[in-house]
Amino acid sequence: MCDRIPLMTPDETPDSATAGVNPFTGTDVANILREQRWLAREPSPEQLAWCDHAALILGPHVRDRDAFRGLLSLIFHYDTAEILARTETHAVLSRYAARDVLRQLALLLLDGTPLTSDRFKEIIAALKDGLDIRGRELFHPIRLALAGRAGEGELDRVILLLDEAAELPFAVPAKPARQRILEFCASTD
């Protein structure tokens, strides 16, 4: 249906996000990071730029500050054992081709190329072409392995922030996409 990943994914409906209004700013993101102790001191210019980017791509897709904090927590807290302990995880992994998606995703992320929006689009296109699957069978395993939970398109936006956050000196280091998929696959095999 739609191949423009940062805007809307095939299993996302217009009603699944707020009407595109963004009540959040980079300052709001920095304040949440401070409250959660993910940011220990005054943010650097690079951290402020990341906060602005996070507000820009996540803000329109959350209904309130708690939901925003929940999405940000997916960037700074990733525990494979916790993820695998959830019933939802096993439901996703039992779906058609889920493990094939994860294996191919891992191979595509192993090259170490930073996961940017363009790179994510390339990966999705390669997975669609190589596995001939679409929708939740494709996106839910990706979101589960990289964001830590299956769900809608706002998780794709979380994924797009991972590698950028991992490069910055936050008080709690963010794990990049490559490390997350390696940990996830190592724990599921």
Side-chain angles (χ1 to χ4, degrees):
M1 288 171 66
C2 178
D3 288 329
R4 297 180 330 197
I5 299 306
L7 300 177
M8 190 171 291
T9 57
D11 59 340
E12 188 177 30
T13 64
D15 295 332
S16 67
T18 57
V21 175
N22 188 358
F24 298 100
T25 66
T27 301
D28 296 317
V29 173
N31 288 336
I32 292 170
L33 297 181
R34 272 191 214 91
E35 291 165 11
Q36 298 300 309
R37 295 192 171 103
W38 299 325
L39 184 61
R41 58 183 71 89
E42 282 304 307
S44 68
E46 295 82 11
Q47 288 169 320
L48 285 174
W50 184 88
C51 290
D52 288 340
H53 187 217
L56 178 70
I57 69 173
L58 293 177
H61 303 282
V62 293
R63 300 203 187 302
D64 57 36
R65 196 170 194 277
D66 287 338
F68 203 115
R69 183 177 33 253
L71 289 179
L72 289 171
S73 74
L74 297 173
I75 296 166
F76 294 98
H77 179 77
Y78 184 86
D79 185 320
T80 307
E82 285 179 17
I83 296 165
L84 291 172
R86 291 189 223 126
T87 304
E88 161 194 342
T89 297
H90 297 282
V92 170
L93 293 177
S94 69
R95 290 188 191 137
Y96 171 75
R99 292 183 187 266
D100 294 333
V101 169
L102 294 173
R103 277 189 285 277
Q104 292 301 311
L105 176 63
L107 290 172
L108 292 166
L109 289 173
L110 280 177
D111 70 3
T113 302
L115 190 58
T116 62
S117 179
D118 288 339
R119 178 68 178 137
F120 193 48
K121 289 175 193 176
E122 290 170 9
I123 288 171
I124 296 302
L127 291 170
K128 284 179 178 179
D129 292 344
L131 298 173
D132 196 31
I133 57 173
R134 308 279 188 275
R136 74 179 190 161
E137 282 76 22
L138 177 66
F139 287 98
H140 283 193
I142 294 169
R143 293 170 183 155
L144 181 65
L146 298 181
R149 68 175 206 227
E152 301 302 322
E154 71 275 2
L155 297 177
D156 296 345
R157 290 154 185 84
V158 167
I159 292 166
L160 293 176
L161 291 167
L162 295 176
D163 284 7
E164 288 178 37
E167 302 244 341
L168 299 171
F170 288 107
V172 174
K175 293 180 181 179
R178 183 178 188 273
Q179 182 179 351
R180 289 173 182 232
I181 192 66
L182 289 172
E183 288 180 17
F184 194 87
C185 288
S187 297
T188 57
D189 283 341

